[in-house]
Amino acid sequence: MLAACCIPPREPEGRNRVEGARRVALDLAVVSAGIWLWSGLALLGFTFSEASGDSLATEDSLSAIVYFAENFELGRYLTISSAIAAFVSVGCLIARRTVSMGLLAVVALLGLWPMALTGHAAGTLEHDNAVNLQAMHLLGVSVWAGGLIALLVTRRRLGDSLVPTVRRYSTLAGCSLVLVAVSGALGALLRVPELSDLGSSYGALLALKVGAFAVLCGLAWWQRRRLIGRLAAGHRRAFLWIGLLEVVVLTAATGTGVALSRTAPPPPPGAGTPLSAAQSLLGHDLPPALGAAEWFTQWRPDIFWLPIVLGGLAWYLVAVSKLRARGDTWPVSRTIAWVVGSVLLVWATSGSPGAYGRVLFSMHMVAHMTIATAVPVFLALGAPVTLALRTLNRRTDGSMGPREWLQRVIHSWPAAILGNPIVAGTLFIVSLAAFYYSSLFELSLRTHTAHILMVGHFRAGRVPAGQLPGRHRPGSPATSVPPPELCC
């Protein structure tokens, strides 16, 4: 992430090259991904040994571990995580272009998902929401800690680019801090619903982690408010010592999190009561019978999509305010369309269609059709790409910020293919048939990962063609499309 989004090239003309501090950061990624790979494989063996009670020193232990990795869900998740680490390690070793850095950053972040599925969140009744929160927690901690370590390693190679790189990293770290705080607090409420449970061993470890996080917040504030100014004045030693102290505290907080994963949380109220069939299959009780009122009163927040939608809505409104503050105009109809699309997506995933979608096929289809047909139309009419290109800051030092990556994506050949009306229409029809006339539908009901992929596919795969600025819209003169630099 640091190499792809924060570190500039040695020369602005080298925007597309991996060299200098970028190369050092990727070399560090090769080593750390290798550690991730081998520790993941070791964890696979230890997990098998713990689950089966067999020693790893027996002659047939290797074949038993392979069987465990192929046929058990926990083993498959650990294997997938290690495979992603291997891919990232090799990819960073051979990467030569900035596009490679961006793709590898995305793949590395996706590799955190199997880890969330195998963590201490996986065994709770609220499995889906607990896994979502765990994934957010891992995402925030990984970007925060990994970026800081990479910044300390590459600081000598950055030269005059150290200050802007630290500023950009501070923005990433600030977002990560908020993500860690919110996901950690909500995750703690799921596992420790009663204040009296704080006196347990789990509560004591949780208190230690909260204390470490408070120290990290103070260090982050110091870095943002005071340290960057001192760094710009040439006091680099203070940055080194504060950074090392932050790494130590981050490591301690992470270690406490590992200890929490090995400690059973306090039993919830009614823990001695056998689970009902609905609780075993769904992870929660059945909603009440569907009536007219329940269409509006039954809500079950989807912790994965709800933050994404609310974050997108907040960004859109802030961007519109920024645009108007500098004297530019933005159609009210586009803002209304974006708000309507966001509200519909929240209702389809967290409202009654989301609450009943796994128990009533009719409500599943309501959610599916809302996400696949209504939501993309309203969101596309909001023209978010054009708004982003007009409000995001342009970087002049050759580094790749959000605006540069967005331009790279919308002018890529995959976007050109997927934006073609014929391709989009074919995908719409074929994916419907493939989903409902195969085992994919049942898989989306049984596994959390498949459910998220289903919603993501039907949301992202239905954007009407011709909404990307700078691309020729079929059926209109090519000269009517402004070049990308005029869309900002």
Side-chain angles (χ1 to χ4, degrees), residues 277-449:
Q279 290 175 331
S280 300
L281 289 172
L282 303 176
H284 55 82
D285 293 321
L286 280 173
L290 180 63
E294 280 70 23
W295 279 82
F296 306 98
T297 60
Q298 285 301 308
W299 289 82
R300 183 172 182 78
D302 188 323
I303 302 298
F304 185 89
W305 291 106
L306 185 60
I308 294 176
V309 177
L310 294 181
L313 181 60
W315 164 81
Y316 193 96
L317 297 178
V318 170
V320 171
S321 301
K322 179 180 177 181
L323 203 63
R324 290 178 174 172
R326 71 186 189 198
D328 293 337
T329 59
W330 186 257
V332 177
S333 58
R334 288 185 174 181
T335 304
I336 294 175
W338 183 264
V339 172
V340 171
S342 300
V343 171
L344 284 175
L345 185 54
V346 169
W347 178 73
T349 54
S350 298
S352 56
Y356 290 91
R358 295 180 66 186
V359 295
L360 289 176
F361 182 73
S362 57
M363 292 301 286
H364 165 82
M365 290 308 302
V366 170
H368 181 167
M369 289 295 102
T370 302
I371 295 171
T373 58
V375 170
V377 172
F378 283 106
L379 294 184
L381 290 175
V385 175
T386 300
L387 179 62
L389 290 175
R390 293 181 63 182
T391 55
L392 292 174
N393 294 328
R394 184 197 301 268
R395 292 189 182 178
T396 59
D397 60 356
S399 62
M400 298 287 290
R403 189 180 188 280
E404 287 73 22
W405 278 115
L406 179 60
Q407 284 186 313
R408 183 67 62 90
V409 170
I410 64 177
H411 293 289
S412 63
W413 63 265
I417 295 176
L418 295 176
N420 186 282
I422 297 177
V423 175
T426 302
L427 287 176
F428 182 85
I429 298 172
V430 172
S431 62
L432 281 176
F435 182 74
Y436 287 107
Y437 286 91
S438 69
S439 60
L440 292 176
F441 175 50
E442 181 181 357
L443 187 65
S444 70
L445 296 177
R446 291 186 177 275
T447 66
H448 183 48
T449 304

Side-chain angles (χ1 to χ4, degrees), residues 89-423:
S89 182
V90 175
C92 289
L93 191 63
I94 63 177
R96 295 294 183 270
R97 310 289 288 179
T98 54
V99 173
S100 303
M101 294 192 303
L103 291 175
L104 289 168
V106 172
V107 173
L109 295 179
L110 291 177
L112 300 174
W113 182 253
M115 299 170 65
L117 293 170
T118 60
H120 53 293
T124 62
L125 257 184
E126 293 287 340
H127 168 271
D128 293 354
N129 285 335
V131 167
N132 292 337
L133 292 171
Q134 183 77 352
M136 296 176 190
H137 208 65
L138 287 171
L139 174 64
V141 170
S142 299
V143 173
W144 188 355
L148 179 59
I149 294 172
L151 193 59
L152 293 174
V153 171
T154 59
R155 72 188 190 283
R156 294 184 181 276
R157 298 293 298 271
L158 286 169
D160 295 336
S161 301
L162 179 59
V163 174
T165 302
V166 171
R167 291 186 188 276
R168 293 161 187 164
Y169 164 75
S170 295
T171 302
L172 276 179
C175 296
S176 299
L177 186 149
V178 173
L179 191 61
V180 170
V182 174
S183 60
L186 294 178
L189 288 176
L190 284 180
R191 300 179 191 88
V192 189
E194 304 290 339
L195 288 177
S196 58
D197 294 333
L198 293 176
S200 63
S201 57
Y202 189 91
L205 287 172
L206 186 62
L208 285 175
K209 188 175 181 180
V210 171
F213 181 76
V215 174
L216 287 171
C217 290
L219 291 174
W221 176 86
W222 174 267
Q223 181 192 84
R224 187 71 176 175
R225 293 290 182 181
R226 303 292 181 86
L227 192 59
I228 294 180
R230 295 185 63 185
L231 187 61
H235 301 286
R236 298 197 172 196
R237 185 171 294 275
F239 165 72
L240 174 62
W241 287 112
I242 293 295
L244 290 175
L245 178 59
E246 190 172 341
V247 169
V248 171
V249 179
L250 265 171
T251 304
T254 305
T256 307
V258 174
L260 279 173
S261 70
R262 302 292 299 170
T263 305
T273 306
L275 295 179
S276 64
Q279 290 175 331
S280 300
L281 289 172
L282 303 176
H284 55 82
D285 293 321
L286 280 173
L290 180 63
E294 280 70 23
W295 279 82
F296 306 98
T297 60
Q298 285 301 308
W299 289 82
R300 183 172 182 78
D302 188 323
I303 302 298
F304 185 89
W305 291 106
L306 185 60
I308 294 176
V309 177
L310 294 181
L313 181 60
W315 164 81
Y316 193 96
L317 297 178
V318 170
V320 171
S321 301
K322 179 180 177 181
L323 203 63
R324 290 178 174 172
R326 71 186 189 198
D328 293 337
T329 59
W330 186 257
V332 177
S333 58
R334 288 185 174 181
T335 304
I336 294 175
W338 183 264
V339 172
V340 171
S342 300
V343 171
L344 284 175
L345 185 54
V346 169
W347 178 73
T349 54
S350 298
S352 56
Y356 290 91
R358 295 180 66 186
V359 295
L360 289 176
F361 182 73
S362 57
M363 292 301 286
H364 165 82
M365 290 308 302
V366 170
H368 181 167
M369 289 295 102
T370 302
I371 295 171
T373 58
V375 170
V377 172
F378 283 106
L379 294 184
L381 290 175
V385 175
T386 300
L387 179 62
L389 290 175
R390 293 181 63 182
T391 55
L392 292 174
N393 294 328
R394 184 197 301 268
R395 292 189 182 178
T396 59
D397 60 356
S399 62
M400 298 287 290
R403 189 180 188 280
E404 287 73 22
W405 278 115
L406 179 60
Q407 284 186 313
R408 183 67 62 90
V409 170
I410 64 177
H411 293 289
S412 63
W413 63 265
I417 295 176
L418 295 176
N420 186 282
I422 297 177
V423 175

Side-chain angles (χ1 to χ4, degrees), residues 15-160:
R15 178 192 299 269
N16 294 320
R17 294 196 294 268
V18 177
E19 57 186 7
R22 287 177 169 180
R23 184 69 264 172
V24 174
L26 287 192
D27 290 342
L28 177 63
V30 172
V31 176
S32 54
I35 296 173
W36 177 6
L37 165 63
W38 294 110
S39 60
L41 292 177
L43 181 62
L44 176 64
F46 292 142
T47 303
F48 160 77
S49 178
E50 182 183 40
S52 65
D54 295 337
S55 171
L56 294 178
T58 59
E59 295 182 356
D60 58 345
S61 61
L62 181 59
S63 59
I65 292 173
V66 172
Y67 181 83
F68 173 70
E70 292 177 347
N71 297 281
F72 288 83
E73 193 175 63
L74 179 57
R76 287 197 292 267
Y77 289 149
L78 292 171
T79 304
I80 292 172
S81 178
S82 298
I84 292 175
F87 180 86
V88 172
S89 182
V90 175
C92 289
L93 191 63
I94 63 177
R96 295 294 183 270
R97 310 289 288 179
T98 54
V99 173
S100 303
M101 294 192 303
L103 291 175
L104 289 168
V106 172
V107 173
L109 295 179
L110 291 177
L112 300 174
W113 182 253
M115 299 170 65
L117 293 170
T118 60
H120 53 293
T124 62
L125 257 184
E126 293 287 340
H127 168 271
D128 293 354
N129 285 335
V131 167
N132 292 337
L133 292 171
Q134 183 77 352
M136 296 176 190
H137 208 65
L138 287 171
L139 174 64
V141 170
S142 299
V143 173
W144 188 355
L148 179 59
I149 294 172
L151 193 59
L152 293 174
V153 171
T154 59
R155 72 188 190 283
R156 294 184 181 276
R157 298 293 298 271
L158 286 169
D160 295 336

